[in-house]
Amino acid sequence: MKYPPVLAALGLVAAVLAAPAPATAAPSPAEPVADDPVAALVRDMDLTETEAHDLLAAQAVAGEIDAEAADIAGDAYAGSSFDIDTHALTVLVTDSGVASAVEAAGAEVVVIDTDPADTVRALDAAAVPEGVVGWYPDSDTVVVEVMAGSGIDAGDLGVPDDAVRLVETDTRPRTYGQIIGGRPFVVNGVRCTIGFSATGGRDARGFLTAGHCGRVGQVLQGPDGPVGVFQHSVFPGRDGAFVRVYDPWRVTNLVDRYDGTFVRVTGSNPAPVGSALCLSSSTHGWRCGTLQARDQTVTYPQGSVQGLFRSTLCAGPGDSGAPIVAGSQAQGIVSGGSGSPGTGCTTFGQEVNPLLSLWGLTLVTS
């Protein structure tokens, strides 16, 4: 369903929130629910149905092992990665003394000298050159993306040269809210996307979306009057917002798969790096890809955003705030990215859990 440009934002909200049933009601027969993303994994990741089922099962086990490994390693835990082909989970630690205990939990272990998160924090605090696109941890180093032809080298970054690996790119990420420099920013004139439903104190209910979609106090209008108001919003630094909706709007735990079915969100456990993710996109439909890294920092024209995750998902203009899931677990909402289907995509997601914690919200899971 397409909406006129002026009504794009309010039309999308009305389409998703207008279901008359309360959040605790089951979908009607006309709203079938998909319990897993097998079909999309088969289509987008060159898997058979059996391989897709096996992958989802292996990821679930790996997530449990990863959580246990993090508890065991404590401050020595330096991240993890999941191999989508072998289903092996590898945990990085900075203390060889905890390696045996982590291995006993079921993970492969690599001991590294320095946690790359330290380098990420140093870069976050540094005044990086204009041509730097962003950075993210990758095993025992930090990948720093720079614009091709910028002439930037590791010595320009203010961190040890051997702590980073420079990679050139021809594309600069952008936010997906269709905010065009010089034109006025109004909620009704910008198409963004609902992320995940959440509730808060004093009976507040609403949804998460991207922070660059609206400022605190801006009212989201619908065809029959106000739908809600931006109660919280942060951008840059982070990229998230909470829109509190008015009566008679009701929240649900559903994510639209754009094929007539929905996913029921059951939690927000972070998936290990390497896991399969899927995105509900009003631009491209239901798309799947892989989680490449967490703790990514991106420098948009409006400023840097820290703590994002990086994926091969495809999103597009208007998808800012769109929900990203691993199975039925909420992972994050679209912040920005680059590329398009067929040419390769990079999409950056704002983690869900930090936003819930920041504003004292609870994810709707039933």
Side-chain angles (χ1 to χ4, degrees):
M1 182 180 296
K2 296 185 180 296
Y3 298 93
V6 175
L7 298 179
L10 60 91
L12 184 60
V13 170
V16 180
L17 289 182
T24 55
S28 70
E31 297 175 335
V33 174
D35 292 326
D36 62 67
V38 169
L41 288 172
V42 170
R43 182 195 66 203
D44 293 341
M45 303 188 68
D46 196 27
L47 300 175
T48 65
E49 287 191 14
T50 298
E51 289 171 336
H53 281 290
D54 290 346
L55 173 60
L56 290 172
Q59 281 190 188
V61 172
E64 294 175 358
I65 295 174
D66 191 35
E68 183 179 355
D71 287 339
I72 293 171
D75 291 341
Y77 178 82
S80 65
S81 64
F82 177 77
D83 191 306
I84 204 167
D85 296 317
T86 67
H87 298 176
L89 173 71
T90 300
V91 174
L92 305 178
V93 298
T94 57
D95 181 358
S96 60
V98 302
S100 296
V102 173
E103 285 179 341
E108 299 178 7
V109 179
V110 174
V111 180
I112 59 177
D113 293 330
T114 304
D115 189 341
D118 295 337
T119 302
V120 168
R121 284 189 288 270
L123 289 168
D124 288 346
V128 298
E130 176 65 25
V132 175
V133 172
W135 48 89
Y136 61 92
D138 181 23
S139 188
D140 61 347
T141 189
V142 171
V143 173
V144 178
E145 289 186 302
V146 299
M147 293 300 296
S150 64
I152 296 171
D153 59 38
D156 299 324
L157 303 176
V159 296
D161 291 4
D162 59 359
V164 298
R165 175 166 58 89
L166 267 61
V167 174
E168 288 194 343
T169 178
D170 293 324
T171 58
R172 177 177 287 279
R174 53 189 170 86
T175 52
Y176 281 132
Q178 292 184 312
I179 300 172
I180 300 174
R183 297 184 182 179
F185 178 85
V186 292
V187 175
N188 289 348
V190 177
R191 181 170 69 91
C192 287
T193 302
I194 293 170
F196 299 99
S197 294
T199 59
R202 292 185 295 180
D203 297 324
R205 65 187 185 279
F207 59 87
L208 297 173
T209 189
H212 67 264
C213 290
R215 302 294 186 187
V216 171
Q218 287 186 311
V219 175
L220 213 144
Q221 294 285 342
D224 299 317
V227 173
V229 61
F230 278 78
Q231 182 169 314
H232 303 290
S233 182
V234 57
F235 179 79
R238 292 180 181 176
D239 192 5
F242 176 68
V243 177
R244 177 170 55 85
V245 297
Y246 304 137
D247 286 326
W249 304 104
R250 293 291 183 264
V251 294
T252 76
N253 69 331
L254 302 181
V255 171
D256 195 344
R257 297 181 71 239
Y258 284 95
D259 63 355
T261 67
F262 300 82
V263 171
R264 292 182 187 271
V265 175
T266 61
S268 56
N269 294 331
V273 171
S275 300
L277 302 179
C278 294
L279 161 68
S280 180
S281 162
S282 61
T283 304
H284 301 306
W286 185 252
R287 310 301 301 183
C288 294
T290 57
L291 173 61
Q292 295 177 303
R294 292 191 182 275
D295 206 15
Q296 159 97 43
T297 297
V298 172
T299 56
Y300 294 123
Q302 299 94 329
S304 294
V305 178
Q306 297 87 40
L308 302 176
F309 60 80
R310 177 189 186 91
S311 73
T312 62
L313 293 166
C314 286
D319 285 338
S320 292
I324 299 171
V325 299
S328 65
Q329 299 294 311
Q331 299 298 305
I333 54 179
V334 171
S335 172
S338 60
S340 60
T343 63
C345 299
T346 299
T347 289
F348 304 107
Q350 164 66 56
E351 303 267 7
V352 163
N353 288 336
L355 296 181
L356 298 174
S357 177
L358 177 65
W359 297 320
L361 301 173
T362 300
L363 188 70
V364 174
T365 57
S366 64

Coordinates of all heavy atoms in Angstrom, one line a residue, residues 36-45 47 52 55-56 59 82 84 196 255 257 263 267-281 285-294 308-315 322-334 345-352:
D36 N 8.7 -18.4 12.5 CA 10.1 -18.4 12.1 C 10.3 -17.9 10.7 O 9.4 -17.9 9.9 CB 10.8 -19.8 12.3 CG 10.2 -20.8 11.4 OD1 10.4 -20.6 10.1 OD2 9.5 -21.7 11.8
P37 N 11.5 -17.4 10.4 CA 11.7 -16.8 9.1 C 12.3 -17.7 8.1 O 13.1 -17.4 7.3 CB 12.8 -15.7 9.4 CG 13.6 -16.3 10.5 CD 12.6 -17.2 11.3
V38 N 11.9 -19.0 8.1 CA 12.5 -20.0 7.3 C 12.4 -19.7 5.8 O 13.4 -19.8 5.1 CB 11.9 -21.4 7.6 CG1 12.3 -22.4 6.5 CG2 12.3 -21.9 9.0
A39 N 11.2 -19.3 5.4 CA 11.0 -19.0 3.9 C 12.0 -17.9 3.5 O 12.6 -18.0 2.4 CB 9.6 -18.7 3.7
A40 N 12.1 -16.8 4.3 CA 13.0 -15.7 3.9 C 14.4 -16.1 3.9 O 15.2 -15.7 3.1 CB 12.8 -14.5 4.8
L41 N 14.8 -17.0 4.9 CA 16.2 -17.5 4.9 C 16.5 -18.3 3.7 O 17.6 -18.2 3.1 CB 16.4 -18.3 6.2 CG 16.5 -17.6 7.5 CD1 16.5 -18.5 8.7 CD2 17.7 -16.6 7.6
V42 N 15.6 -19.1 3.3 CA 15.8 -20.0 2.1 C 16.0 -19.1 0.8 O 16.8 -19.3 0.0 CB 14.6 -20.9 1.9 CG1 14.6 -21.6 0.5 CG2 14.6 -22.0 3.0
R43 N 15.1 -18.0 0.8 CA 15.2 -17.1 -0.4 C 16.4 -16.3 -0.4 O 17.1 -16.1 -1.5 CB 13.9 -16.2 -0.4 CG 13.8 -15.3 -1.6 CD 12.8 -14.2 -1.3 NE 13.3 -13.3 -0.2 CZ 12.4 -12.6 0.5 NH1 11.1 -12.7 0.3 NH2 12.9 -11.8 1.5
D44 N 16.8 -15.7 0.7 CA 17.8 -14.7 0.7 C 19.2 -15.2 1.0 O 20.2 -14.5 0.7 CB 17.5 -13.6 1.8 CG 16.3 -12.8 1.4 OD1 15.9 -12.8 0.2 OD2 15.7 -12.1 2.3
M45 N 19.3 -16.4 1.6 CA 20.6 -16.8 2.0 C 21.1 -18.2 1.4 O 22.0 -18.8 1.9 CB 20.7 -16.9 3.6 CG 20.3 -15.6 4.2 SD 20.5 -15.5 6.0 CE 22.3 -15.7 6.1
L47 N 19.8 -21.2 1.3 CA 19.7 -22.3 2.2 C 18.5 -23.2 1.8 O 17.5 -22.7 1.2 CB 19.5 -21.9 3.6 CG 20.6 -21.0 4.3 CD1 20.1 -20.6 5.6 CD2 21.9 -21.8 4.3
A52 N 17.9 -24.1 6.9 CA 17.3 -22.9 7.6 C 16.9 -23.3 9.0 O 17.1 -22.6 9.9 CB 16.2 -22.3 6.8
L55 N 19.9 -23.9 11.1 CA 20.6 -22.7 11.4 C 19.9 -22.0 12.6 O 20.6 -21.5 13.5 CB 20.6 -21.8 10.2 CG 21.1 -20.3 10.4 CD1 22.6 -20.4 10.9 CD2 21.0 -19.5 9.2
L56 N 18.6 -21.9 12.5 CA 17.9 -21.2 13.6 C 18.0 -22.0 14.9 O 18.2 -21.3 16.0 CB 16.4 -21.1 13.3 CG 16.0 -20.2 12.1 CD1 14.5 -20.4 11.8 CD2 16.3 -18.7 12.5
Q59 N 21.6 -21.3 16.1 CA 21.8 -19.9 16.6 C 21.2 -19.8 18.1 O 21.8 -19.1 18.9 CB 21.1 -18.9 15.7 CG 21.9 -18.6 14.5 CD 21.3 -17.5 13.7 OE1 21.7 -17.2 12.6 NE2 20.3 -16.8 14.2
F82 N 29.7 -16.1 15.3 CA 29.0 -17.3 15.0 C 29.2 -17.6 13.5 O 29.0 -16.7 12.7 CB 27.5 -17.2 15.3 CG 26.7 -18.4 14.9 CD1 26.7 -19.5 15.7 CD2 25.9 -18.4 13.8 CE1 25.9 -20.6 15.4 CE2 25.1 -19.4 13.4 CZ 25.1 -20.6 14.2
I84 N 28.0 -19.1 10.2 CA 26.7 -19.5 9.7 C 26.8 -20.8 8.9 O 25.8 -21.5 8.7 CB 26.2 -18.4 8.8 CG1 24.7 -18.5 8.7 CG2 26.8 -18.4 7.4 CD1 24.0 -17.3 8.1
F196 N 9.4 -1.6 17.4 CA 8.8 -2.5 18.3 C 7.9 -1.8 19.3 O 8.3 -0.7 19.8 CB 9.9 -3.3 19.0 CG 10.7 -4.1 18.1 CD1 12.0 -3.7 17.7 CD2 10.3 -5.3 17.6 CE1 12.8 -4.4 16.9 CE2 11.1 -6.1 16.7 CZ 12.4 -5.6 16.4
V255 N 5.3 -8.2 14.1 CA 6.1 -7.6 13.1 C 5.6 -8.1 11.8 O 5.5 -9.3 11.5 CB 7.6 -7.9 13.3 CG1 8.4 -7.4 12.1 CG2 8.1 -7.2 14.6
R257 N 5.5 -9.2 8.0 CA 6.5 -9.9 7.1 C 6.1 -9.5 5.6 O 6.8 -10.0 4.7 CB 6.5 -11.4 7.3 CG 6.9 -11.8 8.6 CD 7.0 -13.3 8.8 NE 8.0 -13.9 8.0 CZ 7.8 -14.8 7.0 NH1 6.6 -15.2 6.7 NH2 8.8 -15.3 6.4
V263 N 5.3 -11.9 12.5 CA 6.2 -12.6 13.5 C 5.7 -12.1 14.9 O 5.5 -10.9 15.1 CB 7.7 -12.2 13.3 CG1 8.5 -12.7 14.5 CG2 8.1 -12.8 12.0
G267 N 11.0 -11.7 22.8 CA 12.0 -11.2 23.7 C 13.0 -10.3 22.9 O 12.8 -10.0 21.8
S268 N 14.1 -10.1 23.6 CA 15.1 -9.2 23.0 C 16.5 -9.7 23.3 O 17.4 -8.9 23.6 CB 15.0 -7.7 23.4 OG 15.0 -7.6 24.8
N269 N 16.8 -11.0 23.3 CA 18.1 -11.5 23.5 C 19.0 -11.2 22.4 O 18.7 -11.6 21.2 CB 18.0 -13.1 23.8 CG 17.2 -13.4 25.0 OD1 17.2 -12.7 26.0 ND2 16.6 -14.6 25.0
P270 N 20.2 -10.6 22.6 CA 21.1 -10.3 21.5 C 21.6 -11.5 20.9 O 22.1 -12.5 21.5 CB 22.2 -9.5 22.2 CG 21.6 -9.0 23.5 CD 20.6 -10.1 23.9
A271 N 21.6 -11.6 19.5 CA 22.2 -12.7 18.8 C 23.7 -12.5 18.6 O 24.2 -11.4 18.5 CB 21.5 -12.8 17.4
P272 N 24.5 -13.6 18.6 CA 25.9 -13.5 18.4 C 26.2 -13.0 17.0 O 25.4 -13.2 16.1 CB 26.4 -15.0 18.6 CG 25.3 -15.7 19.3 CD 24.0 -15.0 18.9
V273 N 27.4 -12.3 16.9 CA 27.8 -11.9 15.6 C 27.9 -13.1 14.6 O 28.4 -14.1 15.0 CB 29.2 -11.2 15.7 CG1 29.8 -10.9 14.3 CG2 29.1 -9.9 16.5
G274 N 27.4 -12.9 13.4 CA 27.4 -14.0 12.4 C 26.0 -14.6 12.3 O 25.8 -15.3 11.3
S275 N 25.1 -14.2 13.1 CA 23.8 -14.8 13.1 C 23.0 -14.2 11.9 O 23.3 -13.2 11.4 CB 23.0 -14.5 14.4 OG 23.7 -15.1 15.5
A276 N 21.9 -14.9 11.6 CA 21.0 -14.4 10.6 C 20.0 -13.5 11.2 O 19.4 -13.7 12.3 CB 20.2 -15.6 9.9
L277 N 19.7 -12.4 10.5 CA 18.8 -11.4 10.9 C 17.7 -11.2 9.8 O 18.0 -11.4 8.6 CB 19.4 -10.0 11.2 CG 20.5 -10.0 12.3 CD1 21.1 -8.5 12.4 CD2 20.0 -10.4 13.6
C278 N 16.6 -10.7 10.2 CA 15.6 -10.3 9.2 C 15.0 -9.0 9.5 O 14.8 -8.6 10.7 CB 14.5 -11.4 9.1 SG 15.1 -13.0 8.5
L279 N 14.6 -8.3 8.4 CA 14.1 -6.9 8.5 C 12.7 -6.7 7.9 O 12.5 -7.2 6.8 CB 15.1 -6.0 7.9 CG 14.7 -4.5 7.5 CD1 14.4 -3.7 8.7 CD2 15.7 -3.9 6.6
S280 N 11.8 -6.1 8.6 CA 10.5 -5.7 8.0 C 10.6 -4.4 7.4 O 10.7 -3.3 8.0 CB 9.5 -5.7 9.1 OG 8.2 -5.4 8.5
S281 N 10.7 -4.3 6.0 CA 10.9 -3.1 5.3 C 9.8 -2.7 4.4 O 9.3 -3.5 3.6 CB 12.2 -3.3 4.4 OG 12.3 -2.3 3.4
G285 N 10.2 -5.1 1.5 CA 9.5 -6.2 2.1 C 10.3 -6.9 3.2 O 11.0 -6.2 4.0
W286 N 10.1 -8.2 3.3 CA 10.8 -9.0 4.4 C 12.1 -9.4 3.8 O 12.2 -10.2 2.9 CB 9.9 -10.1 4.8 CG 10.4 -11.0 5.9 CD1 11.0 -12.2 5.8 CD2 10.4 -10.6 7.3 NE1 11.3 -12.7 7.1 CE2 11.0 -11.7 8.0 CE3 10.0 -9.5 8.0 CZ2 11.1 -11.7 9.4 CZ3 10.1 -9.5 9.4 CH2 10.7 -10.6 10.1
R287 N 13.2 -8.9 4.4 CA 14.6 -9.2 3.9 C 15.4 -9.8 5.0 O 15.3 -9.5 6.2 CB 15.3 -8.0 3.4 CG 14.4 -7.1 2.4 CD 14.0 -7.9 1.2 NE 15.2 -8.4 0.4 CZ 15.1 -9.0 -0.8 NH1 13.9 -9.2 -1.3 NH2 16.1 -9.4 -1.4
C288 N 16.3 -10.7 4.7 CA 17.2 -11.3 5.6 C 18.7 -11.1 5.2 O 19.0 -10.9 4.1 CB 16.9 -12.8 5.8 SG 15.3 -13.2 6.5
G289 N 19.5 -11.2 6.2 CA 21.0 -11.1 6.0 C 21.7 -11.6 7.3 O 21.2 -12.3 8.1
T290 N 23.0 -11.1 7.4 CA 23.8 -11.6 8.6 C 24.2 -10.4 9.4 O 24.4 -9.3 8.9 CB 25.0 -12.3 8.1 OG1 25.8 -11.5 7.3 CG2 24.6 -13.6 7.4
L291 N 24.4 -10.7 10.7 CA 24.9 -9.7 11.7 C 26.4 -9.7 11.6 O 27.0 -10.7 11.9 CB 24.4 -10.1 13.1 CG 25.0 -9.3 14.3 CD1 24.6 -7.8 14.1 CD2 24.5 -9.9 15.6
Q292 N 27.0 -8.6 11.2 CA 28.4 -8.6 10.9 C 29.2 -8.1 12.1 O 30.4 -8.5 12.3 CB 28.7 -7.6 9.8 CG 28.2 -8.1 8.4 CD 28.5 -7.1 7.3 OE1 28.1 -6.0 7.4 NE2 29.2 -7.6 6.3
A293 N 28.7 -7.2 12.9 CA 29.4 -6.7 14.1 C 28.5 -5.9 15.0 O 27.4 -5.5 14.6 CB 30.5 -5.7 13.6
R294 N 28.9 -5.8 16.2 CA 28.2 -5.0 17.2 C 29.2 -3.9 17.6 O 30.3 -3.9 17.3 CB 27.7 -5.8 18.4 CG 26.6 -6.8 18.1 CD 25.9 -7.3 19.3 NE 24.9 -8.3 19.0 CZ 23.6 -8.0 18.8 NH1 23.3 -6.7 18.8 NH2 22.7 -8.9 18.5
L308 N 25.9 1.0 17.5 CA 25.0 0.4 16.5 C 25.5 -1.0 16.2 O 26.6 -1.4 16.6 CB 25.0 1.2 15.3 CG 24.6 2.7 15.4 CD1 24.7 3.3 14.0 CD2 23.1 2.7 15.9
F309 N 24.7 -1.8 15.5 CA 25.2 -3.1 15.0 C 25.1 -3.0 13.5 O 24.4 -2.2 12.9 CB 24.4 -4.3 15.5 CG 23.0 -4.4 15.2 CD1 22.5 -4.7 14.0 CD2 22.0 -4.1 16.2 CE1 21.1 -4.8 13.7 CE2 20.7 -4.1 16.0 CZ 20.2 -4.5 14.7
R310 N 26.0 -3.8 12.8 CA 26.2 -3.7 11.4 C 25.7 -5.0 10.8 O 25.9 -6.1 11.3 CB 27.7 -3.6 11.1 CG 28.1 -3.6 9.7 CD 29.7 -3.7 9.6 NE 30.1 -3.5 8.2 CZ 30.4 -2.4 7.6 NH1 30.4 -1.3 8.4 NH2 30.8 -2.3 6.4
S311 N 25.0 -4.9 9.6 CA 24.4 -6.1 9.0 C 24.5 -6.0 7.5 O 24.7 -4.9 6.9 CB 23.0 -6.3 9.5 OG 22.1 -5.3 8.9
T312 N 24.2 -7.1 6.8 CA 24.1 -7.1 5.4 C 22.6 -7.0 4.9 O 22.3 -7.2 3.8 CB 24.7 -8.4 4.8 OG1 23.9 -9.5 5.3 CG2 26.1 -8.6 5.2
L313 N 21.7 -6.6 5.8 CA 20.4 -6.3 5.4 C 20.2 -5.2 4.4 O 21.0 -4.3 4.4 CB 19.5 -6.0 6.7 CG 19.4 -7.1 7.7 CD1 18.9 -6.6 9.0 CD2 18.5 -8.2 7.2
C314 N 19.1 -5.3 3.7 CA 18.8 -4.2 2.7 C 17.7 -3.4 3.2 O 16.6 -3.9 3.5 CB 18.5 -4.7 1.3 SG 20.0 -5.4 0.4
A315 N 17.9 -2.1 3.3 CA 16.8 -1.1 3.7 C 16.8 0.0 2.7 O 17.6 0.0 1.8 CB 17.0 -0.6 5.1
A322 N 12.7 0.8 11.3 CA 12.1 -0.5 11.0 C 12.7 -1.6 11.9 O 13.9 -1.5 12.2 CB 12.4 -0.8 9.5
P323 N 11.9 -2.6 12.2 CA 12.3 -3.6 13.2 C 13.2 -4.7 12.6 O 12.9 -5.1 11.4 CB 11.0 -4.2 13.6 CG 10.1 -4.0 12.5 CD 10.5 -2.7 11.8
I324 N 14.2 -5.1 13.3 CA 15.2 -6.1 12.9 C 15.1 -7.2 14.0 O 15.3 -6.9 15.2 CB 16.6 -5.6 12.8 CG1 16.6 -4.5 11.7 CG2 17.6 -6.7 12.4 CD1 18.0 -3.7 11.7
V325 N 14.9 -8.5 13.5 CA 14.7 -9.6 14.4 C 15.7 -10.7 14.1 O 16.1 -10.8 13.0 CB 13.3 -10.1 14.4 CG1 12.3 -9.1 14.9 CG2 12.9 -10.7 13.1
A326 N 16.0 -11.5 15.1 CA 16.7 -12.8 14.9 C 15.7 -13.9 15.4 O 15.5 -14.0 16.6 CB 18.0 -12.9 15.7
G327 N 15.1 -14.6 14.5 CA 14.0 -15.5 14.9 C 12.8 -14.6 15.4 O 12.3 -13.8 14.7
S328 N 12.5 -14.8 16.7 CA 11.4 -14.0 17.3 C 12.0 -13.0 18.3 O 11.2 -12.4 19.0 CB 10.4 -14.9 18.0 OG 11.0 -15.6 19.1
Q329 N 13.3 -12.8 18.3 CA 14.0 -11.9 19.3 C 14.2 -10.6 18.6 O 14.9 -10.5 17.6 CB 15.3 -12.5 19.8 CG 15.1 -13.9 20.5 CD 14.3 -13.7 21.8 OE1 14.7 -12.8 22.6 NE2 13.3 -14.6 22.0
A330 N 13.7 -9.5 19.2 CA 14.0 -8.2 18.8 C 15.5 -7.8 18.9 O 16.0 -8.0 20.0 CB 13.1 -7.2 19.5
Q331 N 16.1 -7.3 17.9 CA 17.5 -7.0 17.9 C 17.7 -5.4 17.9 O 18.4 -4.9 18.7 CB 18.3 -7.6 16.8 CG 18.2 -9.1 16.8 CD 18.9 -9.7 18.0 OE1 20.0 -9.4 18.3 NE2 18.1 -10.5 18.7
G332 N 17.0 -4.8 17.0 CA 17.2 -3.3 16.9 C 16.3 -2.7 15.8 O 15.4 -3.4 15.3
I333 N 16.5 -1.4 15.6 CA 15.7 -0.7 14.6 C 16.7 0.0 13.7 O 17.8 0.3 14.0 CB 14.8 0.4 15.3 CG1 15.7 1.3 16.2 CG2 13.7 -0.3 16.1 CD1 14.9 2.3 16.9
V334 N 16.2 0.1 12.4 CA 17.1 0.7 11.4 C 17.5 2.1 11.7 O 16.6 3.0 12.0 CB 16.4 0.6 10.0 CG1 17.2 1.4 9.0 CG2 16.2 -0.8 9.6
C345 N 24.3 -4.6 0.4 CA 23.8 -3.6 1.3 C 24.5 -3.7 2.6 O 25.1 -4.7 3.0 CB 22.3 -3.9 1.6 SG 21.2 -3.9 0.2
T346 N 24.5 -2.5 3.3 CA 25.0 -2.4 4.7 C 23.9 -1.6 5.4 O 23.5 -0.5 5.0 CB 26.3 -1.7 4.8 OG1 27.3 -2.5 4.1 CG2 26.7 -1.6 6.3
T347 N 23.3 -2.2 6.5 CA 22.4 -1.5 7.3 C 22.8 -1.5 8.7 O 23.3 -2.5 9.2 CB 21.0 -2.1 7.2 OG1 20.5 -1.9 5.8 CG2 20.0 -1.6 8.2
F348 N 22.7 -0.3 9.3 CA 23.1 -0.1 10.7 C 21.9 -0.1 11.6 O 20.9 0.6 11.3 CB 24.0 1.1 10.9 CG 25.2 1.2 10.0 CD1 25.2 2.0 8.9 CD2 26.3 0.4 10.3 CE1 26.3 2.1 8.1 CE2 27.4 0.4 9.5 CZ 27.4 1.2 8.4
G349 N 21.9 -0.8 12.7 CA 20.8 -0.9 13.6 C 21.1 -0.4 15.0 O 22.1 -0.6 15.5
Q350 N 20.1 0.4 15.5 CA 20.2 0.8 16.9 C 19.7 -0.3 17.8 O 18.6 -0.8 17.6 CB 19.3 2.1 17.1 CG 19.0 2.4 18.6 CD 20.2 2.8 19.4 OE1 20.9 3.7 19.1 NE2 20.5 2.1 20.5
E351 N 20.6 -0.7 18.7 CA 20.2 -1.8 19.7 C 18.9 -1.4 20.4 O 18.7 -0.3 20.8 CB 21.3 -2.1 20.7 CG 22.6 -2.4 20.0 CD 22.9 -3.9 19.9 OE1 21.9 -4.7 20.1 OE2 24.0 -4.3 19.5
V352 N 18.0 -2.4 20.6 CA 16.8 -2.2 21.3 C 17.0 -2.1 22.8 O 16.4 -1.2 23.4 CB 15.8 -3.3 21.0 CG1 14.6 -3.3 22.0 CG2 15.2 -3.1 19.6

